[in-house]
Amino acid sequence: MKVDNDMAALACAELSESLWRVRDLLELLAYRVEVQRALVETGRASWVARSTREVDQLLQEIRTAELMRAIETAPAAQALLLTDDASLGEIAAAAPAPWDHVIGEHRHALLEATSELTQAALANRDLLASGARAVEDVLAQFSGPHTSSTYSASGTPEHDPTRRLFDQSS
């Protein structure tokens, strides 16, 4: 059986549209993650909850767009005589010109975007965890007989039950 180039080109064009949608959403997610980081770094805690909701909503949109992309992948794979679960790399390798290049570029951009987003999300998580620890430490200084934490040279928490911000003996 031979690949019908017209059918393959049409299927690749539809797949490309879905890939553009996912890429646009990932770019918007990168922006929102950066905004979230800036809010945390500048101490604008009142906006962090809203920013988190916006990120969560966008993640749902990305899931929907990814589902649509998966739906568009099967016809492209079939038109190229590949299995329905063919990867973007396999589709790009089998696609007629110029779709081989276009799909390959989408694949590369998506890999890059997901890598950058993973790094940004990890940095935000660490920043938020660090901020939460700092808040807990400050609150512990005001809260009676609970122990407060300091950190050793190795970075592990050390508890000192005698440390207090204010003398609470009277």
Side-chain angles (χ1 to χ4, degrees):
M1 187 175 236
K2 186 177 182 235
V3 172
D4 179 346
N5 281 339
D6 291 336
M7 183 73 86
L10 180 61
C12 286
E14 290 174 1
L15 175 59
S16 179
E17 286 180 36
S18 292
L19 292 169
W20 274 118
R21 174 75 176 137
V22 172
R23 285 176 65 177
D24 286 343
L25 289 170
L26 289 175
E27 184 178 308
L28 182 56
L29 179 60
Y31 166 76
R32 291 208 176 139
V33 167
E34 288 297 320
V35 167
Q36 188 177 54
R37 181 187 334 209
L39 290 170
V40 171
E41 287 176 344
T42 59
R44 304 291 305 261
S46 61
W47 292 104
V48 172
R50 179 180 181 147
S51 174
T52 301
R53 278 192 311 274
E54 289 177 352
V55 167
D56 289 342
Q57 290 169 347
L58 188 55
L59 287 171
Q60 184 57 44
E61 286 183 53
I62 290 171
R63 285 184 199 100
T64 301
E66 180 58 21
L67 177 62
M68 295 307 297
R69 191 241 8 118
I71 291 169
E72 296 296 334
T73 300
Q78 290 169 359
L80 296 166
L81 306 177
L82 301 171
T83 62
D84 287 354
D85 62 346
S87 69
L88 286 179
E90 292 169 329
I91 291 172
W99 295 109
D100 55 343
H101 178 72
V102 171
I103 302 293
E105 286 294 316
H106 280 304
R107 180 181 175 276
H108 176 73
L110 289 170
L111 289 172
E112 192 173 289
T114 54
S115 174
E116 290 172 5
L117 278 166
T118 299
Q119 291 173 1
L122 289 173
N124 277 10
R125 186 184 70 196
D126 291 344
L127 187 61
L128 287 167
S130 165
R133 282 191 304 271
V135 168
E136 288 171 359
D137 288 346
V138 168
L139 291 175
Q141 293 174 353
F142 293 101
S143 63
H146 295 94
T147 61
S148 61
S149 299
T150 59
Y151 296 95
S152 69
S154 66
T156 59
E158 292 182 343
H159 300 287
D160 180 2
T162 62
R163 274 189 50 145
R164 296 285 178 261
L165 186 61
F166 299 108
D167 181 10
Q168 297 178 357
S169 60
S170 37

